[in-house]
Structures are given as C-alpha cells and as structure tokens.
Amino acid sequence: MRFFKAAILAGTVAVIAATSAFAADVKIGFVVKQPEEPWFQDEWKFAEVAAQEKGFTLVKIGAEDGEKVQSAIDNLGAQGAQGFIICTPDVKLGPGIVAKAEANQLKLMTVDDRLVGADGNPLEDVPHMGISATKIGEAVGQAISDEVKKRGWNPAEVGVIRVSYDQLPTAVDRVEGALSVLKANGFAAANIFDAPQAKTDTEAALNASTTVLNKNAGIKQWVAVGLNDEAVLGAVRATESVGIAAENVVGVGIGGADSAINEFKKPTATGFFGTVIISPKRHGYETALNMYEWIANGKEPEKLILTAGQLALRDDYQAVRKDLGIE
Ligand code: GLA
C-alpha cells in the first residue's frame, strides 16, 4: 500500500515536472513594425506579463520593413520558436508572411494591422486581434463635434486635417468613421483636406499637415483626425508651427499611450484635445496568451477579435486608464 502511494506520488511529480519543462521550452515571437512607438512598447510589456505568468520565453523583434520581417521569421525558426504574433510594416506582405511562417513551422497570429492577400481582402484564416476601427473613429468624430459646438464655432467654416495612411485598411476605417460623424454634424466636405503621411509617426504627420495649413491659410479654426495619437500630434504640432493658437484647434487621437499622456501632462492645454484609449493590455497580453494556449494545449485562437476604445480628455485620462486596467 505504502509502495503504491509512493508510486502515485512519484508519478504526479513526474507529470508536473514534464508540464513545466514544456512551458519553459515554449518560445513565442512578438514582431512589431514600429518598436519606438509607445503603443508597441506597451504591447510588448503586457505580452511579457503573459510570458512570466505561463513561463514561456518571449522574443521581441522590431521589423520596420519587409526584409526585416523575413529575417525575423527565419530567426525565430532557427531559435526553435513555435509561433509568433506580428504587427506588420505592410499588410500586403500577407501571403509572404504566411509562407515564411509555414516554412519555419511557426504558428501565426496578427495584431493591430490585418494581413491582406493579392486581391486586397483580409487573410481570414490568420487569427487576428485589431481595434473596432470604424466605431472608434466615430467616437473621435463625436468628441470633436461636441467640442466644436461647445466652443461656438460654425462647423461649416472649420478646416479638417485628415492625416491619412490609406494603404492601411484600419487607418482608412478609423478616419472615415470620424469624418462620417463630422459631416453629419455640419462640417463641409470641401473643407476636409488630406495630409498623406509617408510613415505612421508624428514627424511624417507634421510634414504632411504643414502643407495643408500653408495652402489654406484663410481658414482660422482647425480640427484633426488620424489613425493614431502620433498622427494627430503631428497635425497639432503643424498648427503650432504656423502660429495657430491652441484654442482654435481640436485634435482627437487614438491610442492613449505615452505620446498622449505626455501631452496631457503639459502645464497648458494644447490643440490635442483628447484621445480614444485602446487597450495594449488586450492586444499584448491576450494575443501572447492565445498563442501560448495554441502551442501548449492545441487550443486555436478565435479568427477575429475586435477591441473597443474609450474617450479620454486631459482632465479624466487617469480615471479612464485605471478603468481599463492599464495604469
Ligand atoms: C496601428 C497603428 C498603431 C496602433 C495600432 C492599434 O498599427 O499604427 O499606432 O494604433 O494600429 O491597433
């Protein structure tokens, strides 16, 4: 009897040891297009929390172009990873990324930017977590409309900077969502100006927006929309550089990471009026966890998860962040 108990006990110990040894062998890549952007830093941070919890290894790689994506995937394959999550620098790399992942026997999930095929349609077989872009864009448009009304402006005379990055579907959905609400609230289609950015960062948005402002010097009041906080901050910086006062500018971004927070912390309000905070916790922690479950337990992730956002302004952003569990 005693012998049996000992044997069972030993068996249990062996099983536990085997499981944890397996967890330690799991290696998951997290590849992002713009590692310097606070949003992606936060995604990595929360993915790391999942890695600590489950005991797997997280390999963080920045890949700013197609070539770097290719070598990142090969590299993950060579170091024995079993899967990776990627926010690609270019959604058109889709079929190439899928092929590379297969060649390296890596499971693949995408985050933020959804891969498209040669026909421009999303690759629906690849599990994806993104934001509910149109809805979040609409929240941006509503926040701007409300503030413009509050300031007593005539929306028909207000200029709209549409910081655009039209090669990225989620970017189009976000700005179009915002513009649909602006138009419904009396903004004039003729006063909406495209500011195409070469890259999704503040500098590119600043350059593109400056051109728009210089060409339309007759317009006195401006609002700005874009795919993220960096885009809207670029537009706001452009208004400052051509001498438009903050009280004549209403920009609302999307993101809510440090780029926005640092702006809210400035002693006086700028034209960056608000942001729709999205959740790097869900995008980082959940995708990493889902990938782990897929590798360790064969549990395939849902094909499409869309996350929500919540508007935050200068005076309530701390409460909203707390609410979302990203303090
Ligand atoms: C895109 C943008 C990022 C961020 C994410 C959120 O990748 O470039 O700044 O907004 O979407 O999903």
Side-chain angles (χ1 to χ4, degrees), residues 6 26 28-29 37 76 84-85 99 119 138 160 162 180 221 225 237 247 250 262 267 275 294 322:
V26 173
I28 296 174
E37 188 183 308
L76 286 167
F84 67 103
I85 298 136
D119 57 3
E138 287 166 358
V160 180
R162 175 189 186 271
S180 70
Q221 291 152 330
V225 301
R237 293 289 94 84
E247 64 198 32
V250 180
N262 292 337
T275 181
W294 196 4
K322 214 177 219 163

Side-chain angles (χ1 to χ4, degrees), residues 33 37 39-40 87 112-113 131 174 200 227-228 278 283:
K33 64 177 179 182
E37 188 183 308
W39 167 260
F40 295 110
C87 176
D112 301 320
D113 299 353
I131 67 167
R174 295 175 197 188
T200 54
L227 99 150
N228 58 16
I278 52 179
H283 287 229

Side-chain angles (χ1 to χ4, degrees), residues 317-327:
Y317 74 92
Q318 277 152 320
V320 178
R321 275 168 68 83
K322 214 177 219 163
D323 222 39
L324 295 171
I326 50 176
E327 252 308 273

Side-chain angles (χ1 to χ4, degrees), residues 138-305:
E138 287 166 358
V140 168
Q142 196 57 54
I144 293 176
S145 295
D146 291 348
E147 180 61 14
V148 159
K149 205 171 278 172
K150 213 164 145 194
R151 292 189 190 185
W153 301 357
N154 175 5
E157 290 172 3
V158 175
V160 180
I161 303 178
R162 175 189 186 271
V163 179
S164 57
Y165 193 73
D166 289 347
Q167 56 269 58
L168 180 59
T170 184
V172 176
D173 293 346
R174 295 175 197 188
V175 294
E176 287 308 315
L179 293 180
S180 70
V181 173
L182 292 182
K183 285 185 210 152
N185 280 283
F187 287 76
N191 288 343
I192 299 173
F193 304 98
D194 250 19
Q197 48 181 171
K199 211 183 148 198
T200 54
D201 65 7
T202 300
E203 195 190 338
L206 163 62
N207 294 336
S209 304
T210 305
T211 309
V212 167
L213 293 170
N214 286 336
K215 273 199 197 144
N216 299 281
I219 297 181
K220 299 298 170 218
Q221 291 152 330
W222 287 93
V223 302
V225 301
L227 99 150
N228 58 16
D229 289 332
E230 286 71 16
V232 173
L233 280 167
V236 169
R237 293 289 94 84
T239 59
E240 290 162 355
S241 76
V242 302
I244 300 171
E247 64 198 32
N248 291 324
V249 179
V250 180
V252 174
I254 295 171
D258 272 354
S259 323
I261 303 308
N262 292 337
E263 191 73 9
F264 290 147
K265 280 187 183 154
K266 289 183 175 172
T268 44
T270 69
F272 189 83
F273 177 71
T275 181
V276 176
I277 301 190
I278 52 179
S279 178
K281 185 174 180 189
R282 294 206 58 194
H283 287 229
Y285 176 84
E286 258 181 58
T287 53
L289 200 64
N290 290 350
M291 178 55 80
Y292 175 78
E293 289 296 333
W294 196 4
I295 293 167
N297 302 319
K299 196 174 156 236
E300 266 200 56
E302 273 177 59
K303 291 290 185 207
L304 182 63
I305 301 174

